[in-house]
Coordinates of all heavy atoms in Angstrom, one line a residue:
M217 N -11.8 -35.2 6.8 CA -11.4 -35.0 8.3 C -9.9 -34.5 8.4 O -9.7 -33.7 9.2 CB -11.5 -36.4 8.9 CG -11.2 -36.4 10.4 SD -12.7 -35.9 11.3 CE -12.4 -36.7 12.8
I218 N -9.1 -35.0 7.6 CA -7.6 -34.6 7.6 C -7.6 -33.0 7.3 O -6.9 -32.3 7.9 CB -6.7 -35.4 6.8 CG1 -6.7 -36.8 7.4 CG2 -5.3 -34.8 6.7 CD1 -5.8 -37.8 6.5
K219 N -8.3 -32.7 6.2 CA -8.2 -31.3 5.7 C -8.9 -30.4 6.8 O -8.3 -29.3 7.0 CB -9.1 -31.1 4.5 CG -8.4 -31.8 3.3 CD -9.0 -31.5 2.0 CE -8.3 -32.1 0.8 NZ -8.9 -31.7 -0.4
A220 N -9.9 -30.8 7.5 CA -10.5 -30.0 8.6 C -9.4 -29.8 9.7 O -9.3 -28.7 10.3 CB -11.7 -30.6 9.2
T221 N -8.7 -30.8 10.1 CA -7.7 -30.8 11.1 C -6.5 -29.8 10.7 O -6.1 -29.0 11.4 CB -7.2 -32.1 11.4 OG1 -8.2 -33.0 11.9 CG2 -6.1 -32.0 12.5
E222 N -6.1 -29.9 9.4 CA -5.1 -29.0 8.9 C -5.6 -27.6 8.9 O -4.8 -26.8 9.2 CB -4.7 -29.5 7.5 CG -3.9 -30.7 7.4 CD -3.7 -31.2 5.9 OE1 -3.9 -30.4 5.0 OE2 -3.2 -32.3 5.8
A223 N -6.8 -27.4 8.5 CA -7.4 -26.0 8.5 C -7.4 -25.5 9.8 O -7.1 -24.2 10.1 CB -8.7 -26.0 7.8
K224 N -7.8 -26.3 10.8 CA -7.9 -25.8 12.2 C -6.5 -25.4 12.7 O -6.3 -24.4 13.4 CB -8.5 -26.9 13.1 CG -8.5 -26.5 14.5 CD -9.2 -27.6 15.4 CE -9.3 -27.1 16.8 NZ -9.7 -28.3 17.7
N225 N -5.5 -26.2 12.4 CA -4.1 -25.9 12.8 C -3.6 -24.7 12.1 O -2.9 -23.8 12.9 CB -3.2 -27.0 12.4 CG -3.4 -28.3 13.3 OD1 -4.0 -28.2 14.3 ND2 -3.0 -29.5 12.8
I226 N -3.9 -24.4 10.9 CA -3.6 -23.2 10.2 C -4.2 -21.9 10.9 O -3.5 -21.0 11.1 CB -3.8 -23.2 8.8 CG1 -2.9 -24.2 8.1 CG2 -3.6 -21.9 8.0 CD1 -3.2 -24.6 6.6
V227 N -5.5 -22.0 11.2 CA -6.2 -20.9 11.9 C -5.6 -20.6 13.2 O -5.3 -19.5 13.6 CB -7.7 -21.2 12.0 CG1 -8.4 -20.2 12.9 CG2 -8.3 -21.3 10.6
E228 N -5.2 -21.7 14.0 CA -4.6 -21.5 15.2 C -3.2 -20.8 15.1 O -2.9 -20.0 15.9 CB -4.5 -22.9 16.0 CG -5.9 -23.3 16.5 CD -5.7 -24.7 17.1 OE1 -4.6 -25.2 17.2 OE2 -6.8 -25.3 17.5
M229 N -2.5 -21.3 14.1 CA -1.2 -20.7 13.9 C -1.3 -19.2 13.5 O -0.5 -18.3 14.0 CB -0.4 -21.5 12.8 CG 1.0 -20.9 12.6 SD 2.0 -21.8 11.4 CE 0.8 -22.4 10.2
V230 N -2.3 -18.9 12.8 CA -2.5 -17.4 12.3 C -2.8 -16.7 13.4 O -2.3 -15.5 13.7 CB -3.6 -17.3 11.1 CG1 -4.0 -16.0 10.9 CG2 -3.0 -18.0 9.8
N231 N -3.8 -17.2 14.3 CA -4.2 -16.4 15.5 C -3.0 -16.2 16.4 O -2.8 -15.1 17.0 CB -5.3 -17.1 16.2 CG -6.6 -16.9 15.6 OD1 -7.0 -15.8 15.2 ND2 -7.4 -17.9 15.4
T232 N -2.2 -17.2 16.6 CA -1.0 -17.1 17.5 C -0.1 -16.1 16.9 O 0.5 -15.2 17.7 CB -0.3 -18.5 17.6 OG1 -1.2 -19.4 18.1 CG2 0.9 -18.4 18.5
I233 N 0.2 -16.1 15.6 CA 1.2 -15.1 15.1 C 0.7 -13.6 15.3 O 1.4 -12.8 15.7 CB 1.4 -15.4 13.6 CG1 2.2 -16.6 13.4 CG2 2.1 -14.2 12.9 CD1 2.2 -17.2 12.0
I234 N -0.7 -13.4 15.0 CA -1.2 -12.2 15.2 C -1.2 -11.7 16.7 O -0.9 -10.6 17.0 CB -2.6 -12.0 14.6 CG1 -2.6 -12.2 13.1 CG2 -3.3 -10.7 15.0 CD1 -3.9 -12.3 12.4
D235 N -1.5 -12.6 17.6 CA -1.5 -12.3 19.0 C -0.1 -11.9 19.5 O 0.1 -11.1 20.5 CB -2.0 -13.4 19.8 CG -3.5 -13.6 19.7 OD1 -4.2 -12.6 19.3 OD2 -4.1 -14.7 20.0
N236 N 0.9 -12.5 18.9 CA 2.3 -12.2 19.3 C 2.9 -10.9 18.6 O 4.1 -10.5 19.0 CB 3.2 -13.4 19.0 CG 2.9 -14.5 19.9 OD1 2.7 -14.3 21.1 ND2 3.0 -15.8 19.4
I237 N 2.2 -10.2 17.8 CA 2.6 -9.0 17.2 C 2.6 -7.9 18.3 O 1.5 -7.8 18.9 CB 1.9 -8.6 16.0 CG1 2.2 -9.7 14.8 CG2 2.1 -7.2 15.5 CD1 1.3 -9.5 13.6
C238 N 3.7 -7.1 18.5 CA 3.6 -6.2 19.6 C 2.9 -4.9 19.3 O 2.3 -4.3 20.1 CB 5.1 -5.9 19.9 SG 6.0 -7.2 20.7
D239 N 2.9 -4.5 18.0 CA 2.3 -3.3 17.7 C 0.7 -3.4 17.6 O 0.2 -4.2 16.7 CB 2.8 -2.8 16.3 CG 2.4 -1.4 16.0 OD1 1.2 -1.0 16.2 OD2 3.2 -0.6 15.4
S240 N 0.1 -2.8 18.5 CA -1.4 -3.0 18.6 C -2.2 -2.5 17.3 O -3.2 -3.0 17.0 CB -1.9 -2.3 19.9 OG -1.8 -0.9 19.7
R241 N -1.6 -1.5 16.7 CA -2.2 -1.1 15.4 C -2.2 -2.2 14.3 O -3.2 -2.5 13.7 CB -1.5 0.1 14.9 CG -1.3 1.3 15.8 CD -0.4 2.4 15.3 NE 0.9 1.8 15.1 CZ 1.9 2.4 14.5 NH1 1.8 3.6 14.0 NH2 3.1 1.8 14.4
Y242 N -1.1 -2.8 14.2 CA -1.0 -4.0 13.3 C -1.9 -5.0 13.6 O -2.6 -5.6 12.8 CB 0.4 -4.5 13.2 CG 1.5 -3.6 12.7 CD1 2.8 -3.9 12.8 CD2 1.3 -2.4 12.0 CE1 3.8 -3.1 12.4 CE2 2.3 -1.5 11.5 CZ 3.5 -1.9 11.7 OH 4.5 -1.1 11.2
K243 N -1.9 -5.4 15.0 CA -2.7 -6.5 15.4 C -4.3 -6.2 15.1 O -5.0 -7.0 14.7 CB -2.5 -6.6 16.9 CG -3.1 -7.9 17.5 CD -2.9 -8.0 19.0 CE -1.5 -8.0 19.3 NZ -1.2 -8.4 20.7
T244 N -4.7 -5.0 15.4 CA -6.1 -4.5 15.2 C -6.4 -4.6 13.8 O -7.5 -5.2 13.3 CB -6.3 -3.1 15.7 OG1 -6.1 -3.1 17.1 CG2 -7.7 -2.6 15.4
I245 N -5.5 -4.1 12.9 CA -5.8 -4.2 11.4 C -5.9 -5.6 10.9 O -6.9 -5.9 10.2 CB -4.6 -3.3 10.6 CG1 -4.8 -1.9 11.0 CG2 -4.8 -3.7 9.1 CD1 -3.7 -1.0 10.4
L246 N -5.0 -6.4 11.3 CA -5.0 -7.8 10.8 C -6.2 -8.5 11.4 O -7.0 -9.3 10.6 CB -3.8 -8.6 11.2 CG -2.4 -8.1 10.6 CD1 -1.3 -8.7 11.3 CD2 -2.5 -8.4 9.1
K247 N -6.6 -8.4 12.6 CA -7.7 -9.2 13.2 C -9.0 -8.7 12.6 O -9.8 -9.5 12.1 CB -7.7 -9.0 14.8 CG -6.8 -9.9 15.5 CD -7.0 -9.8 16.9 CE -6.2 -10.8 17.7 NZ -6.4 -10.8 19.0
K248 N -9.2 -7.4 12.5 CA -10.5 -6.9 12.1 C -10.7 -7.0 10.6 O -11.8 -7.5 10.2 CB -10.7 -5.4 12.5 CG -10.8 -5.3 14.0 CD -11.3 -3.9 14.4 CE -11.4 -3.9 15.8 NZ -12.8 -3.8 16.3
C249 N -9.7 -6.8 9.8 CA -9.8 -6.8 8.3 C -9.7 -8.3 7.8 O -10.6 -8.6 6.9 CB -8.6 -6.0 7.6 SG -8.9 -4.2 7.9
Y250 N -9.0 -9.1 8.4 CA -8.7 -10.4 7.8 C -9.4 -11.6 8.6 O -9.6 -12.7 8.0 CB -7.3 -10.6 7.6 CG -6.7 -9.6 6.6 CD1 -6.0 -8.5 7.0 CD2 -7.0 -9.7 5.2 CE1 -5.6 -7.5 6.2 CE2 -6.5 -8.8 4.4 CZ -5.9 -7.7 4.9 OH -5.4 -6.7 4.0
L251 N -9.7 -11.4 9.8 CA -10.2 -12.4 10.6 C -11.8 -12.3 10.9 O -12.6 -13.1 10.9 CB -9.5 -12.7 11.9 CG -8.1 -13.2 11.9 CD1 -7.4 -13.4 13.2 CD2 -8.0 -14.4 11.0
Q252 N -12.1 -11.0 11.2 CA -13.5 -10.6 11.5 C -14.2 -10.0 10.2 O -15.4 -9.7 10.3 CB -13.5 -9.6 12.7 CG -12.8 -10.2 13.9 CD -12.6 -9.1 14.9 OE1 -12.9 -8.0 14.8 NE2 -12.1 -9.6 16.1
N253 N -13.6 -9.9 9.1 CA -14.1 -9.3 7.9 C -14.8 -7.9 8.0 O -15.8 -7.6 7.4 CB -15.2 -10.3 7.3 CG -14.3 -11.5 6.8 OD1 -13.3 -11.4 6.2 ND2 -14.9 -12.6 7.0
V254 N -14.3 -7.1 8.9 CA -14.8 -5.7 9.1 C -14.3 -5.0 7.8 O -13.1 -5.0 7.5 CB -14.3 -5.1 10.4 CG1 -14.6 -3.7 10.5 CG2 -14.7 -5.9 11.6
P255 N -15.1 -4.1 7.3 CA -14.7 -3.4 6.1 C -13.5 -2.5 6.4 O -13.5 -1.8 7.5 CB -15.9 -2.6 5.7 CG -17.1 -3.3 6.3 CD -16.6 -4.0 7.5
K256 N -12.6 -2.3 5.5 CA -11.4 -1.5 5.8 C -11.7 -0.2 6.1 O -11.1 0.4 7.1 CB -10.5 -1.6 4.5 CG -9.8 -3.0 4.5 CD -8.9 -3.2 3.3 CE -8.4 -4.6 3.2 NZ -7.6 -4.9 2.0
W257 N -12.7 0.5 5.4 CA -13.0 1.9 5.7 C -13.5 2.1 7.3 O -13.3 3.0 7.8 CB -14.1 2.4 4.8 CG -15.4 1.7 4.9 CD1 -15.8 0.7 4.2 CD2 -16.5 2.1 5.9 NE1 -17.1 0.4 4.5 CE2 -17.6 1.1 5.6 CE3 -16.6 3.0 6.8 CZ2 -18.8 1.2 6.3 CZ3 -17.8 3.0 7.5 CH2 -18.9 2.2 7.2
Q258 N -14.1 1.0 7.8 CA -14.7 1.0 9.1 C -13.5 0.9 10.1 O -13.5 1.7 11.1 CB -15.7 -0.1 9.3 CG -16.5 0.0 10.5 CD -17.6 -1.0 10.5 OE1 -17.9 -1.7 9.5 NE2 -18.3 -1.1 11.6
V259 N -12.5 0.1 9.8 CA -11.4 0.0 10.7 C -10.6 1.2 10.7 O -10.1 1.8 11.6 CB -10.5 -1.2 10.3 CG1 -9.3 -1.3 11.1 CG2 -11.3 -2.5 10.3
E260 N -10.5 1.8 9.5 CA -9.8 3.2 9.2 C -10.4 4.2 10.1 O -9.7 4.9 10.8 CB -9.9 3.5 7.7 CG -9.1 4.5 7.3 CD -9.3 4.7 5.7 OE1 -9.0 3.8 5.0 OE2 -9.9 5.8 5.4
N261 N -11.7 4.2 10.0 CA -12.4 5.2 10.9 C -12.3 5.0 12.5 O -12.1 5.9 13.2 CB -14.0 5.3 10.5 CG -14.2 5.9 9.2 OD1 -13.4 6.7 8.6 ND2 -15.3 5.7 8.6
E262 N -12.4 3.7 12.8 CA -12.2 3.4 14.2 C -10.9 3.8 14.8 O -10.8 4.2 15.9 CB -12.5 1.9 14.3 CG -12.4 1.3 15.8 CD -12.5 -0.2 15.8 OE1 -13.4 -0.8 15.0 OE2 -11.8 -0.8 16.6
L263 N -9.8 3.5 13.9 CA -8.4 3.9 14.4 C -8.2 5.4 14.3 O -7.2 5.8 14.6 CB -7.5 3.1 13.6 CG -7.5 1.6 13.9 CD1 -6.5 0.8 13.0 CD2 -7.1 1.2 15.3
M264 N -9.1 6.1 13.5 CA -9.0 7.4 13.2 C -7.7 7.8 12.5 O -7.0 8.7 12.8 CB -9.1 8.3 14.5 CG -10.4 8.1 15.2 SD -10.8 9.2 16.7 CE -9.4 9.1 17.7
Y265 N -7.5 7.0 11.4 CA -6.3 7.2 10.5 C -6.8 7.7 9.2 O -7.9 7.3 8.7 CB -5.5 6.0 10.4 CG -4.6 5.6 11.5 CD1 -4.8 4.3 12.0 CD2 -3.8 6.5 12.2 CE1 -4.0 3.9 13.1 CE2 -3.1 6.0 13.3 CZ -3.2 4.8 13.7 OH -2.5 4.4 14.8
S266 N -6.0 8.5 8.5 CA -6.3 8.9 7.2 C -6.2 7.7 6.3 O -5.6 6.7 6.7 CB -5.4 10.0 6.6 OG -4.1 9.4 6.5
H267 N -6.8 7.8 5.2 CA -6.7 6.7 4.1 C -5.3 6.2 3.9 O -5.0 5.0 4.0 CB -7.5 7.1 2.9 CG -7.7 6.0 1.8 ND1 -8.5 5.0 2.1 CD2 -7.1 5.8 0.7 CE1 -8.5 4.1 1.0 NE2 -7.7 4.6 0.2
A268 N -4.5 7.1 3.6 CA -3.1 6.9 3.3 C -2.4 6.2 4.5 O -1.6 5.3 4.3 CB -2.4 8.2 2.8
T269 N -2.6 6.7 5.6 CA -1.9 6.2 6.8 C -2.4 4.8 7.1 O -1.5 3.8 7.3 CB -2.1 7.1 8.1 OG1 -1.7 8.4 7.8 CG2 -1.5 6.5 9.3
F270 N -3.7 4.6 6.9 CA -4.2 3.2 7.2 C -3.5 2.2 6.2 O -3.1 1.1 6.6 CB -5.8 3.2 7.0 CG -6.3 1.9 7.1 CD1 -6.5 1.2 8.3 CD2 -6.6 1.1 6.0 CE1 -7.0 -0.1 8.5 CE2 -7.1 -0.2 6.1 CZ -7.3 -0.7 7.3
Y271 N -3.5 2.5 4.9 CA -3.0 1.6 4.0 C -1.5 1.4 4.2 O -1.0 0.3 3.9 CB -3.3 2.0 2.5 CG -4.8 1.5 2.2 CD1 -5.8 2.4 2.4 CD2 -5.0 0.2 1.8 CE1 -7.1 1.9 2.2 CE2 -6.3 -0.2 1.6 CZ -7.4 0.7 1.8 OH -8.6 0.2 1.6
K272 N -0.8 2.4 4.6 CA 0.7 2.2 4.9 C 0.9 1.2 6.0 O 1.6 0.3 6.0 CB 1.2 3.7 5.2 CG 2.7 3.5 5.7 CD 3.3 5.0 6.1 CE 4.7 4.9 6.5 NZ 4.8 4.5 7.9
L273 N 0.0 1.4 7.1 CA 0.1 0.6 8.3 C -0.4 -0.8 7.9 O 0.2 -1.8 8.4 CB -0.8 1.1 9.4 CG -0.2 2.3 10.1 CD1 -1.3 2.9 11.0 CD2 1.0 2.1 10.8
Q274 N -1.4 -0.9 7.0 CA -1.9 -2.2 6.6 C -0.8 -3.0 5.9 O -0.5 -4.2 6.1 CB -3.1 -2.1 5.7 CG -3.6 -3.4 5.2 CD -4.7 -3.2 4.2 OE1 -5.0 -2.1 3.7 NE2 -5.3 -4.3 3.8
N275 N 0.0 -2.4 5.0 CA 1.0 -2.9 4.3 C 2.1 -3.5 5.2 O 2.7 -4.5 5.0 CB 1.6 -2.0 3.2 CG 0.6 -1.9 2.0 OD1 -0.2 -2.8 1.7 ND2 0.8 -0.8 1.3
E276 N 2.5 -2.5 6.1 CA 3.5 -2.9 7.2 C 3.1 -4.2 7.9 O 3.8 -5.1 8.2 CB 3.8 -1.8 8.0 CG 4.5 -0.6 7.4 CD 4.6 0.7 8.3 OE1 4.1 0.7 9.4 OE2 5.1 1.6 7.7
A277 N 1.8 -4.1 8.3 CA 1.2 -5.2 9.2 C 1.3 -6.5 8.4 O 1.7 -7.6 8.9 CB -0.1 -5.0 9.6
L278 N 0.9 -6.5 7.0 CA 0.9 -7.7 6.2 C 2.4 -8.2 6.0 O 2.7 -9.4 6.0 CB 0.3 -7.4 4.9 CG -1.3 -7.2 5.0 CD1 -1.7 -6.7 3.7 CD2 -1.9 -8.6 5.3
L279 N 3.3 -7.3 5.8 CA 4.7 -7.7 5.7 C 5.3 -8.4 6.9 O 5.9 -9.3 6.9 CB 5.6 -6.5 5.3 CG 5.4 -6.0 3.8 CD1 6.2 -4.6 3.7 CD2 5.9 -6.9 2.8
L280 N 5.0 -7.7 8.1 CA 5.4 -8.4 9.3 C 4.8 -9.7 9.4 O 5.5 -10.6 9.9 CB 5.0 -7.5 10.5 CG 5.4 -8.0 11.9 CD1 6.8 -8.3 12.0 CD2 4.9 -7.1 12.9
F281 N 3.4 -9.9 9.2 CA 2.8 -11.2 9.3 C 3.5 -12.2 8.4 O 3.8 -13.3 8.8 CB 1.4 -11.1 8.9 CG 0.6 -12.4 8.9 CD1 0.2 -12.9 10.2 CD2 0.4 -13.1 7.8 CE1 -0.4 -14.2 10.2 CE2 -0.2 -14.3 7.8 CZ -0.6 -14.9 9.1
A282 N 3.8 -11.8 7.2 CA 4.4 -12.7 6.3 C 5.8 -13.1 6.7 O 6.2 -14.4 6.6 CB 4.6 -12.1 4.8
E283 N 6.5 -12.3 7.3 CA 7.8 -12.6 7.8 C 7.7 -13.7 9.0 O 8.5 -14.6 9.1 CB 8.6 -11.4 8.4 CG 9.1 -10.5 7.3 CD 9.7 -9.2 7.9 OE1 10.0 -9.2 9.1 OE2 9.8 -8.3 7.1
L284 N 6.7 -13.4 9.9 CA 6.6 -14.3 11.0 C 5.9 -15.7 10.6 O 6.1 -16.6 11.3 CB 5.7 -13.6 12.0 CG 6.3 -12.3 12.7 CD1 5.2 -11.7 13.6 CD2 7.5 -12.6 13.4
F285 N 5.2 -15.7 9.5 CA 4.5 -16.9 9.1 C 5.6 -17.8 8.5 O 5.7 -19.0 8.6 CB 3.5 -16.6 8.1 CG 2.6 -17.8 7.8 CD1 1.6 -18.1 8.7 CD2 2.7 -18.6 6.6 CE1 0.7 -19.2 8.5 CE2 1.9 -19.6 6.3 CZ 0.9 -20.0 7.2

C-alpha cells in the first residue's frame, strides 16, 4: 500500500514537472515518448523533425527534466 502511494506521488510529480515546461516541443517529446509510450520515430514524424533534430531536442528535454526533478 505504501509503495503504491509513493508511486502515485512520483507519477504526479513527473506530470507536474512536464506540464510546467514552457517549450511545447520538449513537453510533447517527454509526454509521448515516456508517458504514452509512442514510438520515437512516430513522434519524430508527427513533429516533422529530422532524426538528428529530434534526438537533439530529446536530449535537451531530458536534461531540462533532470534539472527540474
Side-chain angles (χ1 to χ4, degrees):
M217 184 82 155
I218 293 172
K219 288 185 180 185
T221 302
E222 288 176 12
K224 182 180 177 188
N225 289 340
I226 291 170
V227 169
E228 288 175 3
M229 184 172 38
V230 166
N231 281 317
T232 300
I233 290 169
I234 292 173
D235 286 339
N236 287 325
I237 292 175
C238 293
D239 192 315
S240 64
R241 302 169 304 170
Y242 295 167
K243 192 180 297 193
T244 298
I245 290 169
L246 293 171
K247 280 188 175 186
K248 290 190 180 253
C249 291
Y250 298 100
L251 298 180
Q252 300 170 1
N253 292 319
V254 176
K256 291 178 184 177
W257 66 266
Q258 198 170 345
V259 178
E260 191 177 297
N261 288 341
E262 180 182 321
L263 294 173
M264 298 188 313
Y265 289 127
S266 70
H267 187 70
T269 300
F270 175 81
Y271 279 94
K272 178 182 177 282
L273 290 171
Q274 178 188 7
N275 288 336
E276 292 171 359
L278 290 169
L279 287 170
L280 178 59
F281 177 83
E283 286 176 16
L284 295 172
F285 192 78

